[in-house]
């Protein structure tokens, strides 16, 4: 069990090549992390490969028991992990943020360990008998982003380990302490070499992807990086799961009660201060309820406190890094200069010490505006007016990504009809963005391919084998 201080000390490096880690809310120095190169990557790969046969030779029950102990270890150090996550990523401890994320790591591990994956008898007709088994791939490479640095790492690592693979993980260079800390705690319960972590930026990620040791790469991040990974994994024919960017639409039908859906709309868009792959990033609202929905949403949004993550009253935090702040600022400025109406926010405090961008709602905005067409990945939501639902469906589908979408209506059957026509991996009805360890999750179009979670998620980190006879 760790305290914040002991955990930070365990993952801070002061000698050799290091990088300073600054708190995104205050700019204060938190610690420093090592910067690994190809030699450290090669050593990590060697250790993970050496550990794999013994790990795969355990029975499934034995691996499940180990994963249970990993979940216990995370739970025992959850306060320390949440504090470190809050300080490095910026997300508040409170609300659906840092404590929630660490809690999700524990519950995802337990659910992944408990998911049944029985051998399938595919033919048994008296003449033929064939079974479908799922075998380990070998060593899996895991590359993760900075928005949910612990939870997304668990989403990739837990099924990989359950299926008898070992893992080399590379956390984002923006949230390396969180990745190293999570792995340090997990390694209290894992055999040596089963989970290795390397610390570095995209160039180290690119080296990892090229390494022929990996039979599978699990990647979550931007569409642009996903394309590079696909190209450079081709030489090894490494299998890929790509969870990429999104620009999720929400469609509000005229039959809703605006006050009743306002809070759901808010969290659908602003969870993790908007830095969420499957957050609602464009909201299409029918003319009949447009003004009432805008008003109800602005009312809810104006009451959500934003500030330093360690202060308990806050439920929204800073953007994690300046690069993302610049994206949000550029897109909101583009909306403002087009004549769109700012309902809330839109004026960052130039004196603020951290990367804070205020909660921003932009109404009466044209669908072609960059704030609608590009992924803002931050706390700024464009609200587009429509009068014909066919037009809303067309606009929702007219982007090249398709991670999530949502339909908001009092008529579930009508909402399901519209859902079926939306080009997205998940369509939620009267909510947006919720995930569950037993419900498969993945994108369509340029949001990637492959499914995570549940039995489908286990299959994606294994290779099928038929035993025929
Ligand atoms: P990113 O693509 O910049 O970086 C993600 C990871 O890839 C980092 O670890 C980075 O170091 C590494 N990387 C960068 N270049 C690489 C290369 N050439 N080869 C191998 N690895 C490389 O993404 P980000 O800015 O960290 O995350 C934000 C993006 O991730 C958003 O677009 C968001 O929508 C997306 N995202 C998607 C999901 C999902 O489940 N679909 C979840 C979270 C985030």
């Amino acid at each position: 069990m760790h305290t914040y201080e002991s955990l930070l000390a365990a993952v801070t490096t002061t000698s050799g090549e290091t990088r300073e880690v600054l708190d995104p809310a205050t700019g204060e120095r938190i610690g420093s992390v090592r910067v690994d190169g190809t030699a450290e990557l090669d050593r990590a790969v060697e250790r993970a490969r050496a550990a794999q046969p013994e790990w795969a030779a355990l029975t499934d029950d034995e691996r499940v028991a180990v994963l249970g102990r990993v979940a216990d270890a995370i739970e025992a150090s959850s306060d320390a992990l949440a504090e470190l996550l809050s300080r490095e990523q910026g997300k508040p401890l409170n609300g659906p943020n840092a404590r929630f994320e660490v809690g999700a790591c524990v519950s995802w591990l337990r659910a992944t360990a408990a998911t049944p994956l029985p051998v399938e008898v595919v033919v048994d007709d008296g003449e033929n008998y064939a079974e479908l088994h799922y075998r380990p791939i070998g060593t899996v490479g895991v590359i993760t982003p900075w928005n949910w640095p612990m939870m997304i790492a668990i989403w990739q690592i837990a099924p990989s380990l359950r299926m008898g693979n070992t893992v080399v993980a590379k956390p984002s260079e923006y949230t390396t302490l969180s990745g190293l800390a999570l792995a340090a705690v997990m390694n209290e319960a894992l055999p040596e070499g089963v989970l290795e972590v390397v610390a570095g930026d995209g160039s180290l990620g690119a080296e990892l992807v090229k390494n022929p040791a990996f039979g599978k790469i699990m990647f979550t991040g931007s569409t642009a990086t996903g394309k590079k990974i696909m190209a450079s994994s081709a030489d090894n024919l490494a299998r890929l799961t790509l969870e990429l960017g999104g620009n999720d639409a929400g469609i509000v039908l005229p039959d809703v009660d605006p006050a009743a859906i306002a809070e759901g709309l808010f969290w659908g868009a602003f969870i993790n201060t908007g830095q969420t792959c499957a957050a609602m990033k464009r909201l299409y609202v029918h003319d009949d309820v447009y003004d009432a929905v805008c008003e109800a949403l602005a009312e809810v949004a104006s009451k959500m406190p934003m500030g330093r993550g360690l202060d308990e009253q806050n439920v929204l935090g800073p953007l994690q890094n300046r690069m993302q702040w610049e994206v949000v600022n550029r897109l909101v400025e583009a909306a403002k200069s087009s004549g769109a109406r700012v309902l809330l926010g839109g004026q960052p405090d130039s004196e603020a010490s951290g990367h804070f961008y205020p909660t921003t709602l932009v109404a009466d905005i044209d669908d072609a505006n960059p704030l609608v067409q590009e992924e803002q990945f931050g706390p700024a939501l464009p609200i587009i007016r429509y009068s014909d639902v066919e037009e809303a469906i067309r606009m929702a589908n007219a982007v090249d990504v398709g991670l999530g979408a949502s339909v908001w209506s009092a008529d579930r059957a009508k909402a399901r009809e519209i859902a079926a026509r939306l080009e997205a991996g998940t369509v939620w009805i009267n909510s947006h963005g919720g995930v569950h360890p037993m419900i498969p999750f993945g994108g369509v179009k340029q949001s990637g391919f492959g499914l995570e979670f549940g039995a489908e998620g286990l299959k994606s980190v294994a290779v099928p084998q038929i035993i025929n006879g």
Side-chain angles (χ1 to χ4, degrees):
M1 182 187 152
H2 279 282
T3 60
Y4 169 73
E5 287 73 21
S6 74
L7 189 59
L8 181 62
V11 293
T12 291
T13 306
T14 47
S15 61
E17 196 186 340
T18 58
R19 199 171 47 74
E20 298 268 282
V21 179
L22 306 181
D23 183 330
T26 60
E28 282 164 26
R29 181 181 175 281
I30 302 171
S32 56
V33 281
R34 62 181 214 251
V35 177
D36 293 337
T38 314
E40 288 86 3
L41 173 65
D42 288 346
R43 280 198 288 277
V45 170
E46 216 171 279
R47 287 192 294 267
R49 289 189 73 178
Q52 200 270 333
E54 211 172 307
W55 178 246
L58 296 179
T59 64
D60 186 46
D61 284 349
E62 287 168 330
R63 283 196 297 273
V64 162
V66 176
L67 291 183
R69 291 196 287 277
V70 174
D72 295 343
I74 294 175
E75 200 165 42
S77 289
S78 56
D79 286 346
L81 284 163
E83 189 170 339
L84 188 62
L85 175 61
S86 177
R87 292 216 61 191
E88 186 186 47
Q89 205 284 335
K91 63 181 70 190
L93 286 172
N94 203 350
N97 293 298
R99 290 194 191 102
F100 166 85
E101 179 166 354
V102 176
C105 291
V106 175
S107 52
W108 240 272
L109 261 163
R110 293 200 173 124
T112 306
T115 303
L117 190 61
V119 172
E120 291 168 42
V121 176
V122 284
V123 175
D124 182 10
D125 61 6
E127 264 178 57
N128 293 288
Y129 181 83
E131 292 171 347
L132 174 54
H133 294 251
Y134 287 90
R135 307 292 188 204
I137 296 175
T139 300
V140 174
V142 157
I143 301 179
T144 44
W146 47 260
N147 57 339
W148 293 90
M150 293 189 183
M151 187 173 75
I152 291 177
I154 288 288
W155 288 356
Q156 306 190 352
I157 296 168
S160 299
L161 298 185
R162 163 83 192 273
M163 296 309 288
N165 307 290
T166 55
V167 166
V168 178
K170 192 203 81 65
S172 167
E173 59 274 34
Y174 292 105
T175 49
T176 308
L177 281 176
S178 299
L180 290 172
L182 179 72
V185 172
M186 293 176 78
N187 274 327
E188 290 167 5
L190 286 169
E192 217 177 302
V194 166
L195 172 61
E196 292 286 328
V197 187
V198 289
D201 61 12
S203 61
L204 189 70
E207 288 297 318
L208 188 156
V209 174
K210 276 194 288 182
N211 193 308
F214 295 104
K216 168 101 193 187
I217 304 291
M218 299 285 286
F219 172 72
T220 302
S222 64
T223 298
T225 307
K227 289 179 184 176
K228 288 186 199 156
I229 288 180
M230 195 163 177
S232 59
S233 63
D235 275 349
N236 314 321
L237 280 178
R239 285 154 179 77
L240 298 176
T241 294
L242 299 179
E243 293 284 2
L244 309 178
N247 192 358
D248 292 13
I251 299 180
V252 176
L253 301 189
D255 63 3
V256 296
D257 171 354
I261 64 167
E263 191 157 345
L265 289 174
F266 176 81
W267 283 116
F270 290 93
I271 184 165
N272 200 27
T273 316
Q275 304 161 105
T276 298
C277 53
M280 191 164 61
K281 293 171 182 152
R282 307 173 277 156
L283 181 60
Y284 296 91
V285 181
H286 192 275
D287 203 24
D288 288 357
V289 286
Y290 189 84
D291 292 335
V293 168
C294 285
E295 201 179 304
L297 188 51
E299 166 87 18
V300 169
S302 64
K303 293 194 179 125
M304 296 290 179
M306 178 185 283
R308 187 168 179 253
L310 298 185
D311 296 341
E312 286 293 339
Q313 81 272 12
N314 293 324
V315 292
L316 299 167
L319 286 158
Q320 202 282 328
N321 54 70
R322 205 67 193 168
M323 168 193 74
Q324 201 59 48
W325 189 97
E326 298 288 354
V327 170
V328 175
N329 188 49
R330 171 177 62 81
L331 293 174
V332 174
E333 288 304 316
K336 278 159 57 179
S337 60
S338 77
R341 183 162 57 99
V342 176
L343 291 177
L344 186 72
Q347 282 301 354
D349 174 2
S350 53
E351 306 291 303
S353 54
H355 309 310
F356 287 100
Y357 197 93
T359 305
T360 298
L361 296 171
V362 182
D364 294 328
I365 182 168
D366 191 85
D367 189 53
N369 192 280
L371 180 60
V372 182
Q373 293 300 315
E374 293 179 35
E375 186 187 33
Q376 68 276 49
F377 215 63
L381 181 69
I383 311 171
I384 306 103
R385 193 189 289 268
Y386 76 87
S387 50
D388 174 359
V389 75
E390 291 302 318
E391 184 198 359
I393 295 170
R394 185 193 57 72
M395 291 188 287
N397 286 339
V399 292
D400 56 14
V401 285
L403 192 55
S406 56
V407 184
W408 302 73
S409 170
D411 180 347
R412 185 163 171 266
K414 172 80 183 154
R416 286 171 59 90
E417 251 173 55
I418 294 168
R421 296 175 58 198
L422 294 177
E423 296 165 1
T426 302
V427 185
W428 289 274
I429 292 169
N430 294 327
S431 68
H432 196 117
V435 287
H436 183 286
M438 296 307 289
I439 302 177
F441 178 76
V444 300
K445 296 161 82 176
Q446 292 193 22
S447 289
F449 49 77
L451 286 171
E452 294 187 279
F453 313 159
E456 295 305 320
L458 294 179
K459 291 176 188 174
S460 79
V461 280
V463 277
Q465 182 190 44
I466 302 291
I467 304 283
N468 189 337

